[in-house]
Amino acid sequence: MRQRVFESRNAVLRQFAATLAVCSLVLMAGVAGASAQSGTPAPDQSKAAAQPADAAAKDAAQNQRRTDEFAEAAQVINGPAGNPECVWLGRRVVRLMWRDDLDTAFRHLDLYDRFGCPGGHIQAAFRCLTRFGGQIDPKVAETLDSRVHACWINPASQPQQAAAATSQPTAPTTANSQPQPPASPSPAASPTPAPQK
């Protein structure tokens, strides 16, 4: 009889051990799966609350900047090129043309034309942008955006080096002196023939 009690006790213990092993395997698999899906630990609640507030502040600042740019364009530019829809679409077309995305630029140009915006203003703004090509950093989007806006507002603007070169004062002339003609380049020296041997 003692042997039956030991056998039944051993059977219960084996069953309990097997159940415990299966449960721990399932639990470990669940924890491993959850950690593999998340990849990173959850951020603190304070950081999570600060991020939406920071993003909202950035969005508000960007919207205010856009509104100010549209108001500036409406004040400076007379005619339809100063309308907000023409400013928005036109600057977008110029930016896309600069980035060589001509298919998208032409689709935007169709919209620009439908709003009755002047096509010549896009040509003048793009011409202005090409003059500033060396000053635009392709890695910083703000330099391109600010230059496109500046060229949209004033298509006749010039780069600093060119503007400084054209605005240098010339030597004053007196009433008796005649203006000097520009110096002609000196002719290139002709090669001397090689001595005959």
Side-chain angles (χ1 to χ4, degrees), residues 9-34:
R9 193 186 300 168
N10 286 340
V12 170
L13 286 175
R14 274 190 240 132
Q15 185 67 23
F16 179 71
T19 305
L20 185 62
V22 169
C23 288
S24 50
L25 284 175
V26 169
L27 183 64
M28 286 174 38
V31 169

Side-chain angles (χ1 to χ4, degrees), residues 170-184:
T170 58
T173 59
T174 60
N176 294 338
S177 65
Q178 295 292 329
Q180 297 293 327
S184 62

Side-chain angles (χ1 to χ4, degrees), residues 93-124:
V93 168
V94 171
R95 190 178 312 114
L96 288 167
M97 287 169 48
W98 179 261
R99 292 183 178 156
D100 288 334
D101 189 0
L102 298 179
D103 292 334
T104 309
F106 288 142
R107 287 195 300 264
H108 281 77
L109 192 57
D110 289 341
L111 285 172
Y112 182 82
D113 291 338
R114 283 194 187 170
F115 280 105
C117 303
H121 199 84
I122 286 183
Q123 293 171 345

Side-chain angles (χ1 to χ4, degrees), residues 36-118:
Q37 287 179 358
S38 67
T40 59
D44 294 339
Q45 293 297 332
S46 61
K47 289 181 183 176
Q51 288 175 351
D54 189 34
K58 285 181 182 178
D59 288 344
Q62 187 176 13
N63 287 338
Q64 183 62 38
R65 182 181 56 85
R66 285 181 185 162
T67 304
D68 293 343
E69 287 176 351
F70 291 148
E72 178 188 10
Q75 290 174 350
V76 174
I77 302 172
N78 294 330
N83 294 344
E85 65 274 9
C86 294
V87 172
W88 189 79
L89 284 167
R91 291 187 318 185
R92 196 167 179 114
V93 168
V94 171
R95 190 178 312 114
L96 288 167
M97 287 169 48
W98 179 261
R99 292 183 178 156
D100 288 334
D101 189 0
L102 298 179
D103 292 334
T104 309
F106 288 142
R107 287 195 300 264
H108 281 77
L109 192 57
D110 289 341
L111 285 172
Y112 182 82
D113 291 338
R114 283 194 187 170
F115 280 105
C117 303

Side-chain angles (χ1 to χ4, degrees), residues 185-193:
S186 61
S190 60
T192 58

